[in-house]
Amino acid sequence: MLNSNRGSESVWNTAPTSAPAQRADRYVSGSAAHPAKMLPAIARHAITSYTEPGGLVLDPMCGIGTTLVEAVHLGRHAIGTEYEARWARLADQNLRRAADQGATGFGEVYQTDARKLTAHVPAAFHGLVDLVVTSPPYGPSVHGQVRSTRESGEQGVTKRHFRYSRDPDNLAHVGLEDLLDAFTDILIQCRHTLRPGGHAVITTRPWRERGELVDLPSAVLTAAENAGLVPVERNVALLAGIRDGRLVARPSFFQMKNVRDARRRGSPLALIAHEDALVVRRPGAEPGPTPPRPLPCRAPRRTRREDLRPSARRTKVATRTCTNEARHAGGR
C-alpha cells in the first residue's frame, strides 16, 4: 500500500530507548502492571503525524492512558474509554500527573465498553475527533512480565501481569472471530466520532498459535473497511532500536524462549521487531486544522454494560496461515 498521506515515513523509529525509559516519570505507580501498554513513542509519532496542536485524540481502549498522556503533553486534547475500572482509574491518575507536570492539553476518561462509546462520550465531540489511536487486545500468550528465582524467591521463572482482567466479558478473553466482530463494532463507533477526513492509527502484530501464523494485522484492516473506514497507509513501528545501521532487538523472555524452542524443532522462526501501524481515515473532505477544544479532566465514569445488537453482514477474512507440519509454539 502506498504511503501518500501527509508525507509520513513508512518506517517509524519508535524504540530508540526501552519502554521503561520512554515512560520515565510520566506514569504513576501500578501502571506497569497492565499487560499490553503501547510504546509512548508510537503514540507520539502517530499524534504528531496526523494532528495539529489543539487537535482532539481518542483512544477507545485506552488502558492506563498512554495515548492520552502523550497527547496532552503534545498540546492536544484527549478522550479515552476503558472497560476495566482498574485501568480507567490509572489512566485518570496518569492524566492528573500530566497536568501537574505542565501538560497543556486536557484529557478525560470514561469507564465503559468501547462498543457503546458514542453513548457515553458527549455528543458535542461526535464528528470532531482528529485522530483515533488504539490497538486490539492480543491475549495472555503474548504479554506479561517475568521474574527470576532471585527476584521472586520462587523456584524457576514465573510470569506475572499477563491478564487484562478476570472478567469473562473482557475482549481479551474471547476467541479471534468474536474479537474481530467486536473490534469492527468499536471502529464503527470511532467512525462516528471522527471528523470527515480524520484518521485512525491501529497498531497490531501477528503471532503464532500451535504453529499457525495468526495474521491479525490483515484481519484488523478488513475490520476497519467493514466499519466504513478507508485504508491509507500500512507502516512499520519498530520495537527494536537502531545502532550503527542495525536493529537491536528488545524481545521479552517468552518471545526469546518460543523462538529458541521453535528453532530447536527445525522451524526457522524469527523475532518480530515491529508492529504494523495501520492508518485508515473517515471518508470525506479533509478540512484545515481544527481549533482547540478544552476538556474538563474529571474522574472516570462508571456505566452499565449492555448487550449489543447483532452486527451487520461483514466480509470474512482468513487469519490463520503458514501451518507447519511439526506444530510448535511460536513467538510474536
Side-chain angles (χ1 to χ4, degrees):
M1 185 180 299
L2 292 177
N3 292 339
S4 58
N5 182 70
R6 301 174 73 101
S8 176
E9 297 178 349
S10 59
V11 178
W12 299 359
N13 182 15
T14 45
T17 57
S18 66
Q22 289 188 29
R23 293 189 183 97
D25 63 345
R26 285 189 172 182
Y27 297 86
V28 301
S29 176
S31 296
H34 192 281
K37 301 174 292 296
M38 181 178 287
L39 273 181
I42 293 179
R44 284 197 297 271
H45 189 103
I47 292 164
T48 56
S49 296
Y50 303 101
T51 69
E52 303 290 340
L56 182 58
V57 178
L58 166 70
D59 188 342
M61 293 182 287
C62 69
I64 62 167
T66 301
T67 296
L68 315 185
V69 168
E70 300 307 319
V72 298
H73 275 292
L74 289 167
R76 280 70 167 174
H77 307 305
I79 301 172
T81 59
E82 170 54 41
Y83 182 80
E84 296 292 338
R86 175 188 182 186
W87 308 129
R89 284 193 297 270
L90 281 169
D92 186 67
Q93 291 167 21
N94 286 326
L95 279 172
R96 293 176 187 276
R97 170 168 284 194
D100 291 342
Q101 292 176 337
T104 57
F106 295 87
E108 186 169 4
V109 182
Y110 299 85
Q111 189 207 336
T112 185
D113 188 326
R115 291 170 289 186
K116 293 290 189 180
L117 185 152
T118 54
H120 302 288
V121 170
F125 299 118
H126 296 184
L128 293 180
V129 171
D130 298 294
L131 175 67
V132 171
V133 181
T134 196
S135 181
Y138 306 155
S141 63
V142 290
H143 292 305
Q145 302 172 21
V146 297
R147 301 179 72 193
S148 65
T149 300
R150 180 186 304 172
E151 295 170 311
S152 67
E154 302 176 21
Q155 188 63 32
V157 174
T158 58
K159 190 174 184 179
R160 61 180 184 145
H161 299 332
F162 59 89
R163 294 183 186 274
Y164 289 84
S165 76
R166 296 186 181 276
D167 184 341
D169 292 331
N170 190 301
L171 293 182
H173 303 307
V174 304
L176 185 58
E177 287 191 9
D178 289 339
L179 171 62
L180 291 172
D181 278 344
F183 196 61
T184 303
D185 289 325
I186 292 168
L187 292 178
I188 290 171
Q189 296 285 297
C190 291
R191 176 170 57 83
H192 290 308
T193 66
L194 281 168
R195 63 172 173 81
H199 292 85
V201 174
I202 309 164
T203 62
T204 183
R205 46 180 145 156
W207 76 90
R208 287 190 182 269
E209 188 174 276
R210 295 187 296 276
E212 292 182 86
L213 179 66
V214 180
D215 185 9
L216 188 58
S218 294
V220 165
L221 196 58
T222 298
E225 291 179 288
N226 284 335
L229 298 168
V230 179
V232 176
E233 300 174 14
R234 187 164 183 167
N235 301 313
V236 166
L238 290 178
L239 303 174
I242 302 175
R243 298 289 185 277
D244 299 323
R246 300 174 64 88
L247 290 179
V248 180
R250 296 192 178 94
S252 70
F253 171 85
F254 285 100
Q255 287 173 325
M256 288 292 294
K257 181 180 184 301
N258 289 338
V259 168
R260 288 169 177 166
D261 289 348
R263 288 182 175 181
R264 278 196 292 269
R265 295 201 264 287
S267 296
L269 205 63
L271 288 169
I272 292 178
H274 75 277
E275 288 193 334
D276 286 55
L278 309 174
V279 183
V280 296
R281 67 175 178 86
R282 178 178 172 176
E286 190 163 350
T290 52
R293 292 176 288 272
L295 303 173
C297 189
R298 65 183 78 165
R301 302 178 181 182
R302 180 176 296 277
T303 61
R304 293 179 57 205
R305 296 170 182 170
E306 302 172 347
D307 293 334
L308 296 172
R309 296 179 180 177
S311 58
R313 189 176 187 84
R314 294 166 182 163
T315 302
K316 293 294 183 182
V317 60
T319 57
R320 297 175 185 273
T321 59
C322 305
T323 305
N324 269 319
E325 290 183 1
R327 300 174 77 85
H328 58 86
R332 281 186 57 192

